[in-house]
Amino acid sequence: EEYSHIQGTRWNKNVITYSIGRYTRDLPRNTVDSLVESAFSVWARASSLTFVRSHTRNADIMVEFVTNEHGDFYPFDGPRGTLAHAFGPGLGIGGDTHFDDDEYWTAGRTGFNLFVVAAHEFGHALGLKHSRNRESLMYPTYKSSSSANLLSIEDVANINALY
Ligand SMILES: CNC(=O)[C@@H](NC(=O)[C@H](CC(C)C)CN(O)C=O)C(C)(C)C
Ligand SMILES: [Ca+2]
Ligand SMILES: [Zn+2]
Ligand SMILES: [Zn+2]
């Protein structure tokens, strides 16, 4: 889900920083790093946005793997069910993206593909809402789509309408 009701609708800059906090044990750290970077580059290629990795906790988008109650009002729910969530643009928790570490995160077609889920979540972190179009990356249910054409025409139009 995206919780934009407590945040603004868009970032007021084109260079957005992200930082990775707690990792999952399902994948090597450098694999998580590259899948996260690839998920951001999906949006960078379709827009005027640039994403820069930071190693401090005051990045715009904090990316973390957490379980159950984890300090915001949206505890996760154990295996299956909700896979992840992200807050809409804004200060503090704005943009922050959390992955439910009770899921089995993979780089392939088993478990839940981190690249695909991250690309969806980062759409929310940039201010996009869900789409009713099954072809859209912002469709509310998971499908392990091929990494090639992840964004639908609608997704590209929506991100460019916003930035
Ligand atoms: C397999 N489980 C699902 O498909 C679940 N959907 C999700 O966890 C969404 C993320 C997917 C689309 C990557 C939650 N979301 O919208 C975050 O921004 C349920 C449909 C069960 C809620
Ligand atoms: Ca879950
Ligand atoms: Zn969503
Ligand atoms: Zn959370």
Side-chain angles (χ1 to χ4, degrees):
E1 301 85 23
E2 52 83 32
Y3 306 115
S4 60
H5 57 286
I6 51 172
Q7 302 297 337
T9 57
R10 67 189 292 282
W11 298 98
N12 54 13
K13 53 190 173 180
N14 274 9
V15 179
I16 298 166
T17 57
Y18 73 93
S19 177
I20 303 175
R22 286 165 281 184
Y23 283 79
T24 176
R25 286 193 302 275
D26 299 344
L27 291 162
R29 287 191 176 213
N30 61 5
T31 303
V32 172
D33 293 350
S34 62
L35 294 175
V36 165
E37 185 187 15
S38 301
F40 277 120
S41 64
V42 165
W43 296 108
R45 278 198 305 276
S47 70
S48 58
L49 297 171
T50 307
F51 300 96
V52 175
R53 186 174 178 191
S54 140
H55 292 274
T56 69
R57 294 196 66 83
N58 54 23
D60 297 316
I61 297 176
M62 269 303 296
V63 177
E64 303 231 65
F65 291 80
V66 294
T67 57
N68 299 311
E69 185 52 58
H70 56 276
D72 58 29
F73 290 101
Y74 305 94
F76 281 130
D77 53 1
R80 318 291 296 195
T82 300
L83 306 179
H85 57 223
F87 293 86
L91 299 176
I93 202 164
D96 290 5
T97 301
H98 300 154
F99 296 94
D100 185 350
D101 208 5
D102 276 331
E103 312 303 343
Y104 177 51
W105 295 104
T106 74
R109 302 186 67 79
T110 59
F112 291 104
N113 184 284
L114 179 60
F115 167 69
V116 172
V117 177
H120 174 98
E121 297 310 326
F122 296 155
H124 290 314
L126 296 173
L128 296 185
K129 301 195 178 310
H130 280 150
S131 166
R132 286 187 296 283
N133 175 344
R134 304 188 68 81
E135 302 307 309
S136 166
L137 176 61
M138 299 313 294
Y139 193 69
T141 59
Y142 173 81
K143 69 178 193 308
S144 63
S145 50
S146 70
S147 58
N149 52 356
L150 208 54
L151 294 187
S152 70
I153 296 172
E154 175 190 330
D155 299 320
V156 175
N158 288 339
I159 196 71
N160 284 290
L162 205 51
Y163 294 94

